[in-house]
Amino acid sequence: CCTPGGGEEEAQDDQDGKDGDVWPVRLPGRCRWKRLDREGPWEEFRDLASSPRLVGDVVRYRPTHAVAVDWHGMLAWRAIVEGAGPGRLGGCRAVYYNFRVYSASAFGCGDGDFYAEKERLACRHADQIVCLSEKDRDSLAGLMGKDGGHDQEAREKSAGICVLHPPLRGDIC
């Protein structure tokens, strides 16, 4: 997870040993906080997630599953996997929760291509994909169908996308 912080410190252990472990990534106070779109601190989150301390903690924990919430969560997970090195987290299955918070707001010029690229990458690296509606499932399957060089894998993954229907908020419906 990621939390706003006052400085550049690395992740601090936040564990009780009962129901799993959480290692928050503390973002610098200068970050554009409270944004989940391309203007948010996704690059800082990705970069700080690859810190040697956090990567070492994750490798020692030997997770069987990782849940990446939205495309920026998958980018952070990929940074951890790449920081660990080949095969060190190979047994861990990545579950990608595609929540599309940004789709409720207006896109600027080029935003659609930006999000399509990030979601396609997240889907490519996921072992399981969960989204919030049939429309999102169809959209993700379409993106995956355009992922050159990964056709067979994309077809198999797109057929297995799970839909988790959320309760609707008043400002969305």
Side-chain angles (χ1 to χ4, degrees):
C1 75
C2 117
T3 63
E8 302 263 354
E9 66 267 13
E10 290 189 30
Q12 302 295 313
D13 292 345
D14 189 15
Q15 306 163 0
D16 64 11
K18 295 178 184 173
D19 297 318
D21 296 336
V22 174
W23 298 287
V25 173
R26 305 228 185 263
L27 297 173
R30 63 175 161 62
C31 287
R32 302 165 308 260
W33 193 249
K34 297 187 180 182
R35 301 222 33 166
L36 297 175
D37 59 7
R38 75 184 293 176
E39 299 302 321
W42 64 272
E43 292 169 299
E44 293 91 342
F45 181 41
R46 177 202 59 207
D47 294 346
L48 290 170
S50 65
S51 74
R53 179 174 177 192
L54 180 60
V55 170
D57 286 344
V58 173
V59 167
R60 281 186 294 282
Y61 187 72
R62 296 190 328 235
T64 58
H65 291 79
V67 175
V69 177
D70 246 330
W71 56 268
H72 51 272
M74 182 58 87
L75 290 176
W77 173 246
R78 292 301 310 159
I80 292 169
V81 170
E82 290 168 12
R88 303 234 12 235
L89 291 170
C92 184
R93 294 180 47 81
V95 182
Y96 168 48
Y97 279 52
N98 172 268
F99 286 169
R100 291 195 164 187
V101 173
Y102 60 85
S103 66
S105 58
F107 284 165
C109 182
D111 281 348
D113 291 340
F114 172 84
Y115 292 118
E117 175 192 341
K118 299 304 184 207
E119 288 186 343
R120 190 177 296 117
L121 180 68
C123 289
R124 183 181 314 141
H125 292 293
D127 295 298
Q128 179 66 56
I129 302 166
V130 178
C131 63
L132 299 178
S133 70
E134 284 82 7
K135 182 178 177 182
D136 285 349
R137 179 187 59 213
D138 294 344
S139 176
L140 290 171
L143 284 175
M144 292 167 65
K146 298 174 186 170
D147 193 5
H150 302 277
D151 296 336
Q152 181 62 30
E153 180 183 0
R155 279 193 294 278
E156 291 171 7
K157 280 187 188 178
S158 64
I161 296 174
C162 298
V163 177
L164 177 65
H165 296 282
L168 291 178
R169 297 184 341 220
D171 61 334
I172 299 291
C173 55

